[in-house]
Amino acid sequence: TIEYLEMTPKFTVNLAEPRKYLRINVQLMVEGDKAIEKVRKHFPVLRHNLIMLFSGQSAADLQTMEQREKLREDSLRAVENALEKHAKNSDGLRDLFFTEFLVQ
């Protein structure tokens, strides 16, 4: 079974420049009950890695669809890497989606 796991609460992070922030909602596509349980267990480390990734961005780097797609791909890699490190594998993680994206 495939399930979409929403990483709540939404991410709100300061961007690299002053008074700019990113609000983003992330959903993980995960397949299999064991993988779902593993991903849920490691949500804190996954959130940490994503916060570090998001907060290093600048507003100028998030303007185009291509730039946002690159951030999505980088986010998926960050989650995969965290699962490899802390859960010994990222099996079951199929994709990552942004369901809200606001640069202010």
Side-chain angles (χ1 to χ4, degrees), residues 46-61:
L46 302 182
R47 285 189 68 80
H48 169 78
N49 285 18
L50 289 174
I51 287 169
M52 294 295 106
L53 175 65
F54 297 154
S55 64
Q57 305 298 310
S58 70
D61 292 337

Side-chain angles (χ1 to χ4, degrees), residues 34-35 37-43 45-46 79-91:
K34 285 185 179 181
E37 181 181 322
K38 172 182 60 185
V39 168
R40 281 194 175 126
K41 176 182 178 182
H42 291 287
F43 260 11
V45 73
L46 302 182
V79 169
E80 287 171 339
N81 291 341
L83 288 173
E84 291 290 338
K85 181 177 179 181
H86 298 283
K88 307 302 181 226
N89 68 63
S90 60
D91 297 345

